[in-house]
Amino acid sequence: MVKSIIYTLTALALCVGVFIGVEIYLHKQFEQFGDALETLYRKIENEEANREDGYAVREMWANKKSKLHIFLPHNDISYVDYWLNEACGLIYEGNYQLALCKIEVLRDVAKNLPDSYSLKLENIF
């Protein structure tokens, strides 16, 4: 009986450790993505952005999303893809005002999406 309690507590501790590790990883990835979006936002705001800037952020996201598919639902990742592709197209066309709107949505998503998968009471129940 003592062994089964020890095994159960060990398994529980390992699960909590994995959940905390995933949470730290997700926050780090989205913090880096958010920083890139912030830089792109400032360039768009000053009308200095070009398609290479948008493509650089999109390439960064492509590298991150290949690993994030393990932890996040595909719908959330495709949501980011959609808004990022829209913004890149608008930057390419030189429509900076609409591109700002798209990047604003992406900034909010990058800030809030990791919290949706955090180990919090409201996410458990």
Side-chain angles (χ1 to χ4, degrees):
M1 173 140 159
V2 173
K3 281 186 180 180
S4 61
I5 291 174
I6 291 172
Y7 291 150
T8 303
L9 292 176
T10 303
L12 186 61
L14 285 173
C15 287
V16 169
V18 167
F19 291 140
I20 290 171
V22 167
E23 185 173 339
I24 291 169
Y25 176 77
L26 285 177
H27 279 282
K28 179 181 170 193
Q29 297 304 309
F30 276 98
E31 184 178 317
Q32 292 170 352
F33 181 57
D35 291 344
L37 288 173
E38 190 63 39
T39 302
L40 183 60
Y41 184 86
R42 279 193 232 107
K43 284 187 172 187
I44 294 170
E45 200 171 38
N46 296 329
E47 296 187 0
E48 297 171 352
N50 56 36
R51 70 179 187 183
E52 285 81 21
D53 295 325
Y55 292 156
V57 174
R58 194 162 62 179
E59 185 176 325
M60 175 191 194
W61 173 247
N63 290 334
K64 290 191 178 303
K65 80 176 183 178
S66 66
K67 297 168 191 82
L68 291 174
H69 273 290
I70 299 168
F71 307 110
L72 299 177
H74 299 298
N75 290 340
D76 289 341
I77 291 174
S78 64
Y79 184 68
V80 173
D81 285 338
Y82 172 78
W83 287 103
L84 188 55
N85 288 330
E86 288 267 332
C88 287
L90 291 167
I91 292 168
Y92 180 75
E93 292 175 354
N95 193 340
Y96 295 114
Q97 293 303 315
L98 284 176
L100 274 177
C101 297
K102 306 295 181 182
I103 296 297
E104 184 68 36
V105 170
L106 279 169
R107 286 168 57 194
D108 193 51
V109 167
K111 185 175 75 175
N112 294 323
L113 192 62
D115 290 335
S116 301
Y117 300 99
S118 294
L119 191 60
K120 295 180 180 176
L121 193 59
E122 67 244 21
N123 293 337
I124 296 172
F125 294 105

